[in-house]
Amino acid sequence: MGLSRPQKSGNGVSTRWVSLFCIASFFLGVLVVNRLWSVPELAEKDKEPMLEHQSTTLHQMVNCDTKEASLQAGDIFSQVSQTHDVIMTLDRTISSLEMQLAAARAAKVDSEEGLQVNTESGPEQLKGRRKFFFVMGIITAFSSRKRRDSIRDTWMPKGEELKKLELEKGIIMRFVIGHSASPGGVLDRAIDAEDAHHKDFLRLNHVEGYHELSSKTQVYFSTAVAKWDADFYVKVDDDIHINLGMVGSTLARHRSKTRVYVGCMKSGPVLSQKGVKYHEPEHWKFGEEGNKYFRHATGQIYAISKDLATYISVNRHILHLYANEDVSLGSWFIGLDVEHVDDRSLCCGTPLDCEWKAQAGNPCAASFDWSCSGICKSVERMQEVHQRCGEGDGAIWHTSF
């Protein structure tokens, strides 16, 4: 009955040894597991630089591809832009050549019909044809001698200065008039004598008459474009005030445009009542009573580019003439690709309006009274308007176009 012996299992192994074996197996398993976990961590650490290198390489490749694509896109846009410029240049050249051909044909017809044109032909005509900036035609009548003198005494150069204006500035200025119903009569001889003294007329193959202004305007542009090669052709009434330097600066801004129509654009009512001023006999063409005209430049002053003057010359036999010449001109450009420029400096009022604008640093290109469609009592007031609203007699010589 003393101390009890350790019990043995059925196979003869002591339970103590079994316990020790289990504990040893446990620690061995822990050791093995820790070793297995450490290997993937090292592998992950080794992978990180590789992944970073691959990502950097891929990023560089993408950047290169993107840059190359951007450069290619830029090259394509540049080529497209250059091609567009070339096409536009060719289009302008072709248009210019077509206009020159049409003008030559029209000049031939004009010479046959007796219009005053340059009758030289061939290389000599092209060689001797000088380029001018603009031609200004001042529409006048037989009865307007005092109006012409008031203009000569104010804003229009005369004598040697008129020639100097042509040579140095490329500006042609002429009073525009046709002939009487009896050519060679007293009225025509009076204009001949005035022209011999001043040498500032453009004579048209046209019968004078107030109701023939649309036809006169058409003949003026046709004659002027055949006689002088200019960028612009300007029509002016003989009872408004002009600042030549401002007119030149205004037109110079549009010199690169081929088909441009510059003036004070308006859209007045179509007057159907007979007996009123500016009555429109063809009012029914403009729709219902009370309708307005399409946009067109007011008739006191406007300018058109050479292509448009040539268009009028070439197509004058089929261009419709309305009662009002400014409406007629506007109608000729309906349906054409023409840029209408509404410039309000071409329709300032007389003092105080033009005076205030000049003092504010915005001198007017042209001034007149809307109520009189010109300067009211222009012969008496032209000197006053010139003194108060003029740009200065020397301005034209110091203005660069």
Side-chain angles (χ1 to χ4, degrees), residues 13-29:
V13 180
S14 171
T15 56
R16 180 180 296 175
W17 288 108
V18 171
S19 299
L20 290 173
F21 179 76
C22 289
I23 293 171
S25 298
F26 172 77
F27 283 109
L28 179 61

Side-chain angles (χ1 to χ4, degrees), residues 3-9 13-16:
L3 295 172
S4 61
R5 295 182 179 178
Q7 297 179 1
K8 295 182 180 180
S9 61
V13 180
S14 171
T15 56
R16 180 180 296 175

Side-chain angles (χ1 to χ4, degrees), residues 289-309:
E289 186 175 348
N291 280 1
K292 292 185 176 183
Y293 287 111
F294 41 78
R295 287 284 173 185
H296 62 278
T298 187
Q300 287 82 359
I301 177 174
Y302 48 75
I304 60 176
S305 57
K306 178 186 175 182
D307 278 8
L308 297 184

Side-chain angles (χ1 to χ4, degrees), residues 15 60 76 119 134 175 198 201-202 208 236 312 322 343:
T15 56
Q60 291 176 349
I76 291 172
T119 55
F134 65 84
F175 288 105
H198 293 286
F201 277 91
L202 172 63
E208 284 293 315
V236 174
I312 293 173
Y322 288 98
D343 194 315

Side-chain angles (χ1 to χ4, degrees), residues 184-205:
V186 176
L187 296 176
D188 295 301
R189 291 200 301 270
I191 294 296
D192 291 340
E194 187 179 346
D195 190 25
H197 179 67
H198 293 286
K199 295 181 174 27
D200 56 5
F201 277 91
L202 172 63
R203 308 294 293 274
L204 304 179
N205 182 24

Side-chain angles (χ1 to χ4, degrees), residues 317-331:
H317 297 297
I318 59 173
L319 294 176
H320 186 69
L321 301 176
Y322 288 98
N324 301 304
E325 55 92 10
D326 53 352
V327 173
S328 294
L329 187 85
S331 72

Side-chain angles (χ1 to χ4, degrees), residues 53 56 109 111 134 150 163 174 180 186 193 201 218-220 255 292 325 338 362 373-374 377:
H53 176 70
T56 302
V109 174
S111 63
F134 65 84
S150 71
K163 294 180 181 179
R174 296 288 187 274
S180 66
V186 176
F201 277 91
Q218 191 183 75
V219 176
Y220 157 60
R255 211 167 186 173
K292 292 185 176 183
E325 55 92 10
V338 175
N362 300 307
S373 298
K377 299 181 179 180

